Amino acid sequence: MRLSDYSSHTTLLNRRWRFSTQNRRNYAILRAMSWELHDLAIIGAGMMGRSIATKAAQEGINVCLKEISMERAEICREALEDELDHSIRRFDRTESEKKAILSRIRWVTEFNCAANCELAIETVQEDFDLKRGIVNELDSLMPVEHPIVVNTSTLSVTELAASCKNPERILAMHFLYPATSTRVVEVVRGQVTTDEVFDCALEFARLLEKVPIKVFEMPGFVTTRVVLPLVNEAIHVVMEGVAEPAEVDLAIKLGYDFRTGPLEWADRVGLDKVLNWLKHLHQESGEPRFRPCPLLKRLVRAGLLGTKTGRGFFTYDKNRRRLDRLPDDKPGLA
């Protein structure tokens, strides 16, 4: 949003019922959907859970956001408010839009919040047993016609759904962080996912202004499988002393029109997550390109995980802004 447009938007209290061009489009999608979506359950209020919740609430969907305790929920709620305040300072949204988003998000600690929701998404860490337990819990609570989405980049949705009574209504969607702004989402059909459930997921993606990419179930899908060897090789380049991290990222950004270099991208995702993804893909495929670089392992062991700890390959402030760019490097340079 341009600064000159800021004042004209401050009176927007509820984007769901103020029919701007975008909202009329979303309203038309909602009416055309094969099932009505009013309430969304999100299990896990970490960075990805909050980001999806923000985007859904922004588009007029009521969200119940589950955490393991009210103490944890309060920490995540404060983090969400900080994220919204940061977007206001950047003129990405207004104070009234923030209020509307927060008014649509309900914080809970019990799974039964999903019983009255038309769609549920789990957004916990890439832990197979944890995700399987959540999916089974949701399957026992929700009406059989309501889809259950696994947010994963590497795990098998077919295997996760195998122990459920209704595996046909379970599928995967791989959102890229931040879900509030990235345009793409991978939609992954399990072995027994029905066409109706898959179509619901495609419609949901469109409602969130995403471009859905239909993907066959393979480890890493498309985006993760392609980007991880690039990141791993960039880390090898640093470990071998070919160039400093900042030089590596700047070379890739300028040479290939990337908005973010591979090492800063890894920092922002979380080096622990990148390591876990590489380990899983290496175990599943046996291919050397997915064998994690030793330098990545050392950084994770040292607790240097990227933006969430303030240090990884680079250093960051509490608002995740990088502090050590080269003079020729600019955010979103390409």
Side-chain angles (χ1 to χ4, degrees):
M1 182 182 294
R2 298 188 304 273
L3 181 59
S4 59
D5 295 332
Y6 183 75
S7 60
S8 65
H9 284 74
T10 56
T11 57
L12 295 178
L13 295 177
N14 190 322
R15 288 176 32 155
R16 187 178 187 183
W17 304 115
R18 298 254 185 183
F19 289 102
S20 65
T21 301
Q22 181 60 52
N23 286 339
R24 285 197 296 270
R25 184 189 71 84
N26 284 349
Y27 184 67
I29 291 176
L30 277 169
R31 293 196 63 179
M33 290 172 82
S34 56
W35 97 120
E36 293 186 4
L37 178 58
H38 302 289
D39 297 280
L40 169 69
I42 299 178
I43 312 302
M47 290 169 54
M48 181 59 79
R50 294 195 305 270
S51 190
I52 296 173
T54 299
K55 184 61 177 175
Q58 180 180 309
E59 301 304 329
I61 300 170
N62 296 318
V63 178
C64 70
L65 193 50
K66 181 194 177 299
E67 258 300 334
I68 57 175
S69 67
M70 286 311 300
E71 291 78 12
R72 175 65 182 165
E74 180 61 21
I75 292 171
C76 292
R77 186 192 64 78
E78 291 176 358
L80 175 58
E81 291 203 28
D82 288 344
E83 291 158 3
L84 292 173
D85 288 339
H86 181 61
S87 68
I88 290 172
R89 289 192 294 271
R90 296 180 57 183
F91 304 107
D92 291 335
R93 59 171 49 87
T94 67
E95 183 67 37
S96 54
E97 288 173 332
K98 171 190 169 182
K99 292 179 181 177
I101 288 170
L102 292 176
S103 72
R104 297 191 187 105
I105 298 177
R106 181 165 56 97
W107 298 84
V108 299
T109 59
E110 301 294 335
F111 278 101
N112 57 17
C113 70
N116 298 318
C117 294
E118 291 82 25
L119 181 73
I121 306 176
E122 68 74 27
T123 61
V124 301
Q125 63 265 31
E126 291 281 89
D127 181 305
F128 182 87
D129 291 332
L130 178 59
K131 285 182 180 286
R132 180 171 58 182
I134 290 171
V135 169
N136 274 278
E137 188 72 27
L138 293 171
D139 187 44
S140 68
L141 288 170
M142 298 177 66
V144 294
E145 67 274 13
H146 291 173
I148 297 173
V149 174
V150 177
N151 180 59
T152 181
S153 58
T154 59
L155 300 179
S156 166
V157 65
T158 297
E159 191 174 359
L160 285 166
S163 59
C164 295
K165 293 182 179 179
N166 306 288
E168 68 281 352
R169 50 96 163 256
I170 298 167
L171 76 162
M173 294 180 75
H174 177 211
F175 288 87
L176 276 68
Y177 185 84
T180 50
S181 58
T182 52
R183 292 292 313 282
V184 69
V185 59
E186 294 172 301
V187 184
V188 187
R189 184 197 297 266
Q191 188 65 36
V192 296
T193 305
T194 65
D195 291 341
E196 292 77 13
V197 167
F198 194 72
D199 288 342
C200 285
L202 297 177
E203 292 169 350
F204 175 58
R206 293 288 186 189
L207 180 61
L208 297 186
E209 300 181 272
K210 306 294 181 189
V211 177
I213 305 298
K214 303 174 185 177
V215 179
F216 292 107
E217 186 182 23
M218 289 291 288
F221 311 139
V222 175
T223 54
T224 303
R225 182 174 175 178
V226 170
V227 78
L228 284 183
L230 170 64
V231 172
N232 206 35
E233 187 61 26
I235 300 173
H236 272 288
V237 168
V238 173
M239 184 182 72
E240 293 165 11
V242 177
E244 294 295 319
E247 302 281 359
V248 172
D249 265 18
L250 186 56
I252 297 300
K253 288 175 68 175
L254 293 177
Y256 297 101
D257 254 6
F258 284 19
R259 290 180 59 83
T260 303
L263 301 176
E264 184 176 344
W265 178 87
D267 273 354
R268 294 192 178 280
V269 169
L271 299 186
D272 52 337
K273 289 184 179 180
V274 173
L275 177 59
N276 287 337
W277 293 342
L278 282 167
K279 284 180 176 178
H280 180 77
L281 290 180
H282 185 241
Q283 180 181 356
E284 287 287 318
S285 68
E287 296 189 22
R289 57 183 166 146
F290 295 121
R291 184 182 294 116
C293 177
L295 175 57
L296 176 61
K297 294 180 179 180
R298 292 204 299 269
L299 288 172
V300 172
R301 290 187 190 121
L304 305 178
L305 308 181
T307 55
K308 58 186 172 184
T309 60
R311 282 186 62 194
F313 288 101
F314 308 106
T315 57
Y316 305 85
D317 66 15
K318 65 178 182 179
N319 292 317
R320 298 165 57 88
R321 288 190 294 259
R322 188 171 150 192
L323 302 175
D324 52 0
R325 293 188 185 278
L326 295 175
D328 292 323
D329 193 2
K330 300 290 186 293
L333 181 62

